Amino acid sequence: MGRPRDTGRDVAILDATLSLLTEFGYEQLSMEAVAGRSGAAKTTIYRRYRDKAALVAAAVEHRSHATPPESAAGDLRENLLALVAWLAQQIADQEIGLLGALFAGMRSDPRLAEEMRRILRRDEAAMTDQPLRKAIGHGEHLAPQAAELFAEVAPAVIVHRVVVAGERCDERFVEHLVDDILLPLLRGR
Amino acid sequence: MGRPRDTGRDVAILDATLSLLTEFGYEQLSMEAVAGRSGAAKTTIYRRYRDKAALVAAAVEHRSHATPPESAAGDLRENLLALVAWLAQQIADQEIGLLGALFAGMRSDPRLAEEMRRILRRDEAAMTDQPLRKAIGHGEHLAPQAAELFAEVAPAVIVHRVVVAGERCDERFVEHLVDDILLPLLRGR
Amino acid sequence: MGRPRDTGRDVAILDATLSLLTEFGYEQLSMEAVAGRSGAAKTTIYRRYRDKAALVAAAVEHRSHATPPESAAGDLRENLLALVAWLAQQIADQEIGLLGALFAGMRSDPRLAEEMRRILRRDEAAMTDQPLRKAIGHGEHLAPQAAELFAEVAPAVIVHRVVVAGERCDERFVEHLVDDILLPLLRGR
Amino acid sequence: MGRPRDTGRDVAILDATLSLLTEFGYEQLSMEAVAGRSGAAKTTIYRRYRDKAALVAAAVEHRSHATPPESAAGDLRENLLALVAWLAQQIADQEIGLLGALFAGMRSDPRLAEEMRRILRRDEAAMTDQPLRKAIGHGEHLAPQAAELFAEVAPAVIVHRVVVAGERCDERFVEHLVDDILLPLLRGR
DNA sequence: AAATAACCGAGACGGTACGTCAAGTCTTGAG
DNA sequence: CTCAAGACTTGACGTACCGTCTCGGTTATTT
């Protein structure tokens, strides 16, 4: 019973968290700043989330998911190029923040790390598995584990490039990834 | 002029940093703890490294590099299995800490982030490029860009599995990576 | 109009306040604790009392007043000893909490401080003035202002001993107060 | 070894505490305000004093002690009047703040309450015992315990008047206290 | 009998201050 | 000039209460 929680507060808090996360990254994100930008009191935030890590996890969980591009034409390569380009954009835009949170929080709270990994896995699945099946043209002969291979390799190479190499995923890279890595793998030996 | 720096202090500081980084991760690593474990005063640390991020970068830079396994037999698959297994072990052991530091520090200090990326790239190159050439048996027909492809895909998939999936790189995974991904790629279409 | 206030709540709230005041003192007394112990909601308390200070004032106002001992015998000294012993007990038991509340609240709310002083004065008068007149044996020659002097000096010395010295008012002290201070004063020069 | 504490900080902190204590009283005194006014960081305060109560105790301990008036003439009554007037002023000015701190802190920390009582007793002794002996003219016949009686009764009645009655100690009151209470007591029965 | 109005519990809310922790800087004394 | 020790400023942490504000639900009158 009692006064119900104000769902408007939830939205404001998570939105503020996401925007600050994007602007400053996990470590530079302060609860006081979240409170300030959202207009909520610190108490209100801590009533909902045990600590900063839990807040960030919830914020990332809450963020709106972009929908993958529809595979217009029937050409497999064209469809893959579009899908990979979109995937690279998504990862560059959103995943980095969560990865930072994951690294920062994973040592101190393994339970939370697992939660963040669950979100990451779910999102990557949504961005790779079903979209790939749509992207496959009819009549193509692909390896039986094509979808799994795509889901395993494509995000891995993209994340690695963005994070470790620190380079953008431009058109040249997308073509390289599709032509030199993904298509050979999917078509099998 | 003046009292020369005690090089013993350098070693003690970097060793303490590495061990604490492994134990607690970047964020939970405190300069006070480094000072305590190394027996050095905080002043001594800050005289050498501008801040925590620089210290961690130096510590990772300083860590001893394991030597890749010698490719004993002439069988390409066997050599690849050994190389990938060793690579996975290296990444699981050492790279995670640095990745955490990279994520934490990259927003606040892009210069440092670039420095860490340089170290990461150099290490990954040392762990993939030359070892792969040794691992290639004589008389094998490989794709012309085989070494680059290996260096691009193998660490990416391993890091992704360890960090995002949070799973160990056991023997089954190594075989899967070699047989289903690397060998097809290296042998070309 | 509307539902009348539940007088049972009044009693529960004030009783809880008094007991918590005795246990923890004014500053450590929290409204949440009063609500918890009394079973009343915070709203119910604040509907009755503007703030913590007002609540404490009401609680002290409401506390049951002990009746002074009847002066059985006609001996002035014996009567005084009994009266002072009883007075010391009353002060030690009840007055300290109110004094704490007075100190804490007097700066922020002079009106309330005045209210608490009114209660204190009234209670001290009830404990000194009339009881003393009864305690006076017939035929004693006392100073004309004996009652006022007693009311001024006896509580002052007792409170000072309890609060400032932090010592109990044992039998030895009561005898000292009566024999060395009060009797000489009351009998005049 | 190490950097010694900055005694300038000590003085600044205690001065700020005293002035804020006088302005706002114990409860309204905030550590943040002390930090702000003194220019010291909160950490610096907490390094020296365990909590607010300890800080206030130290501040009161540190305050400068006024010197009692010299008994110029040889008239006992005149000397007493001057001494009591000065004593009343001291109590009104300084003791109230400490009494508030005593009340607020005594429940939560008996050790601290004892410390504050020690200070209070020491100060009252300094304000009553020796000054009284000086105030006594030569050749006066006083009760053997005159000094002790004065120290017990005078501060008690003054404090009681200021705190409980909430009235000023004007000239009329000082005369009343000396003529009707103190002189009869000191001269003995 | 229905409508009204105030009550009550529970508990969320915006605040203020608490006492703690770590980062990075500064100061002392010794070598 | 270096080093160990440790005090210093700064700023965020997560907690505890304050006094206010909804809620759903409960009595009593008043129509």
Side-chain angles (χ1 to χ4, degrees):
Chain A
M1 210 196 304
R3 173 174 172 179
R5 293 209 178 155
D6 184 346
T7 41
R9 298 292 88 200
D10 287 276
V11 176
I13 289 168
L14 294 179
D15 284 351
T17 304
L18 269 181
S19 69
L20 288 166
L21 192 63
T22 303
E23 278 180 59
F24 301 112
Y26 179 82
E27 205 177 22
Q28 254 62 32
L29 165 73
S30 84
M31 301 300 270
E32 249 111 18
V34 172
R37 182 168 295 192
S38 69
K42 257 199 315 173
T43 326
T44 303
I45 302 174
Y46 279 106
R47 190 176 297 114
R48 289 162 161 75
Y49 310 102
R50 196 161 49 76
D51 55 15
K52 186 164 127 176
L55 168 63
V56 170
V60 176
E61 169 86 18
H62 157 264
R63 79 190 188 282
S64 59
H65 301 280
T67 50
E70 284 298 311
S71 49
D75 185 349
L76 175 61
R77 183 172 177 275
E78 289 297 322
N79 290 349
L80 269 185
L81 284 174
L83 178 58
V84 167
W86 173 81
L87 182 60
Q89 192 61 44
Q90 294 300 309
I91 287 175
D93 283 354
Q94 304 189 344
E95 203 128 325
I96 310 301
L98 181 53
L99 280 171
L102 172 60
F103 271 105
M106 62 195 299
R107 300 275 179 163
S108 47
D109 191 344
R111 192 191 49 71
L112 181 69
E114 195 43 52
E115 174 70 8
M116 296 205 205
R117 287 197 175 101
R118 192 188 56 72
I119 297 171
L120 275 169
R121 282 196 296 261
R122 190 206 53 188
D123 288 0
E124 288 198 350
M127 291 193 295
T128 53
D129 218 56
Q130 298 97 322
L132 179 71
R133 298 183 199 284
K134 291 185 185 169
I136 298 174
H138 312 290
E140 288 270 3
H141 279 294
L142 295 187
Q145 307 294 327
E148 286 78 3
L149 280 178
F150 179 82
E152 187 176 12
V153 173
V157 173
I158 294 171
V159 165
H160 195 261
R161 178 181 177 88
V162 172
V163 172
V164 176
E167 293 175 12
R168 294 195 311 104
C169 294
D170 55 9
E171 199 176 339
R172 251 172 48 80
F173 169 73
V174 171
E175 284 187 14
H176 158 65
L177 177 53
V178 167
D179 291 333
D180 301 334
I181 297 177
L182 293 175
L183 276 179
L185 276 178
L186 301 186
R187 289 197 169 121
R189 65 225 74 166
Chain B
M1 158 186 6
R3 173 173 171 179
R5 287 202 183 165
D6 182 347
T7 42
R9 298 293 86 203
D10 288 277
V11 178
I13 290 168
L14 295 179
D15 284 352
T17 304
L18 270 181
S19 68
L20 288 166
L21 191 63
T22 304
E23 278 179 60
F24 301 114
Y26 179 82
E27 205 178 24
Q28 255 61 33
L29 165 73
S30 83
M31 300 301 271
E32 247 112 21
V34 172
R37 183 168 294 192
S38 69
K42 272 204 298 177
T43 325
T44 306
I45 302 174
Y46 279 104
R47 191 175 297 116
R48 288 161 163 75
Y49 309 102
R50 196 163 50 77
D51 55 16
K52 182 165 135 178
L55 168 63
V56 170
V60 177
E61 169 85 17
H62 156 266
R63 78 191 189 281
S64 58
H65 301 280
T67 50
E70 285 298 313
S71 50
D75 185 348
L76 174 62
R77 182 174 178 273
E78 287 299 321
N79 291 349
L80 269 185
L81 284 174
L83 178 57
V84 167
W86 172 80
L87 182 60
Q89 190 61 45
Q90 294 300 309
I91 287 174
D93 284 355
Q94 304 188 346
E95 204 129 325
I96 311 301
L98 182 53
L99 280 171
L102 172 60
F103 272 106
M106 62 195 302
R107 300 270 182 170
S108 46
D109 190 344
R111 192 190 50 71
L112 182 68
E114 196 43 54
E115 172 71 8
M116 296 206 204
R117 285 195 176 103
R118 192 188 56 73
I119 297 172
L120 275 169
R121 281 197 297 261
R122 191 205 55 189
D123 289 0
E124 288 197 350
M127 292 194 294
T128 53
D129 218 55
Q130 298 97 322
L132 178 71
R133 296 183 200 284
K134 290 185 186 171
I136 298 174
H138 313 290
E140 287 270 2
H141 280 293
L142 295 187
Q145 307 295 327
E148 287 78 4
L149 281 179
F150 179 82
E152 187 176 13
V153 174
V157 173
I158 292 171
V159 166
H160 195 262
R161 177 182 176 89
V162 172
V163 171
V164 176
E167 292 175 12
R168 294 197 310 105
C169 295
D170 55 8
E171 201 175 339
R172 252 173 47 82
F173 169 74
V174 171
E175 286 187 12
H176 159 67
L177 177 53
V178 168
D179 291 334
D180 301 336
I181 297 176
L182 293 175
L183 276 179
L185 275 178
L186 300 186
R187 287 189 172 129
R189 65 223 78 165
Chain C
M1 201 191 317
R3 171 175 172 180
R5 292 201 180 159
D6 183 346
T7 42
R9 298 293 85 201
D10 288 277
V11 177
I13 290 168
L14 295 178
D15 284 353
T17 304
L18 269 180
S19 68
L20 287 165
L21 192 62
T22 304
E23 278 180 59
F24 301 113
Y26 179 82
E27 204 179 26
Q28 255 61 33
L29 166 73
S30 84
M31 300 302 271
E32 248 109 21
V34 172
R37 182 169 294 193
S38 68
K42 271 203 299 177
T43 325
T44 305
I45 301 174
Y46 279 104
R47 191 175 296 115
R48 288 161 163 75
Y49 309 102
R50 196 164 51 78
D51 55 15
K52 184 165 132 177
L55 168 63
V56 170
V60 177
E61 169 83 18
H62 155 265
R63 78 190 191 280
S64 58
H65 301 279
T67 50
E70 285 298 312
S71 50
D75 185 349
L76 174 62
R77 184 173 176 273
E78 288 298 320
N79 290 349
L80 268 185
L81 282 174
L83 177 58
V84 166
W86 172 82
L87 181 60
Q89 190 62 43
Q90 294 300 309
I91 288 176
D93 285 353
Q94 305 188 344
E95 202 129 327
I96 310 302
L98 181 54
L99 279 171
L102 172 60
F103 271 106
M106 62 195 300
R107 301 270 181 169
S108 47
D109 191 343
R111 193 191 48 72
L112 181 69
E114 195 44 52
E115 173 70 9
M116 296 206 206
R117 287 197 175 100
R118 192 189 55 74
I119 297 171
L120 275 169
R121 282 196 296 262
R122 189 205 56 188
D123 289 0
E124 289 197 349
M127 292 193 295
T128 52
D129 217 56
Q130 298 97 323
L132 178 72
R133 297 184 197 283
K134 290 186 186 169
I136 299 173
H138 312 290
E140 286 271 359
H141 280 293
L142 295 187
Q145 307 295 327
E148 286 78 3
L149 279 179
F150 179 82
E152 187 177 11
V153 173
V157 173
I158 293 171
V159 166
H160 195 262
R161 177 181 177 89
V162 171
V163 171
V164 176
E167 293 174 12
R168 296 195 309 104
C169 295
D170 54 10
E171 198 174 342
R172 250 172 49 81
F173 169 74
V174 171
E175 284 188 11
H176 159 65
L177 176 54
V178 167
D179 290 334
D180 301 334
I181 298 176
L182 293 175
L183 276 177
L185 276 178
L186 301 186
R187 287 191 170 128
R189 66 224 77 164
Chain D
M1 211 195 304
R3 173 175 174 179
R5 294 211 177 153
D6 184 345
T7 40
R9 299 291 90 201
D10 286 277
V11 177
I13 290 168
L14 294 179
D15 284 352
T17 304
L18 269 181
S19 69
L20 288 166
L21 192 62
T22 304
E23 277 179 60
F24 301 113
Y26 180 83
E27 204 178 24
Q28 253 63 33
L29 166 72
S30 84
M31 300 301 270
E32 249 110 20
V34 172
R37 182 169 294 192
S38 68
K42 262 202 307 176
T43 330
T44 302
I45 302 174
Y46 279 106
R47 189 176 299 114
R48 288 162 162 74
Y49 310 102
R50 198 162 47 76
D51 55 15
K52 188 164 125 176
L55 169 63
V56 170
V60 177
E61 168 85 19
H62 156 265
R63 79 192 190 281
S64 58
H65 301 279
T67 50
E70 284 299 311
S71 48
D75 185 348
L76 174 61
R77 184 172 176 275
E78 288 299 321
N79 290 348
L80 269 185
L81 283 174
L83 178 58
V84 167
W86 173 82
L87 181 61
Q89 191 61 44
Q90 294 300 310
I91 288 176
D93 284 354
Q94 305 189 344
E95 203 129 326
I96 310 302
L98 181 53
L99 281 171
L102 171 61
F103 270 107
M106 63 195 298
R107 299 278 180 164
S108 46
D109 191 343
R111 191 191 50 72
L112 182 68
E114 194 43 52
E115 174 70 8
M116 295 206 206
R117 286 194 175 104
R118 191 188 56 73
I119 297 171
L120 275 169
R121 281 196 297 260
R122 189 206 54 188
D123 289 0
E124 289 198 347
M127 292 194 294
T128 52
D129 217 57
Q130 297 97 322
L132 179 71
R133 296 183 200 283
K134 291 185 185 169
I136 298 174
H138 312 290
E140 286 270 2
H141 280 293
L142 295 186
Q145 306 296 327
E148 286 78 2
L149 280 179
F150 179 82
E152 187 176 10
V153 173
V157 173
I158 294 171
V159 166
H160 195 261
R161 178 182 177 88
V162 171
V163 172
V164 176
E167 293 174 12
R168 294 196 312 104
C169 295
D170 55 9
E171 200 175 340
R172 252 174 45 82
F173 169 74
V174 171
E175 285 187 12
H176 158 66
L177 177 52
V178 167
D179 290 334
D180 301 335
I181 297 177
L182 292 175
L183 275 178
L185 276 178
L186 301 186
R187 290 196 168 121
R189 65 227 76 164

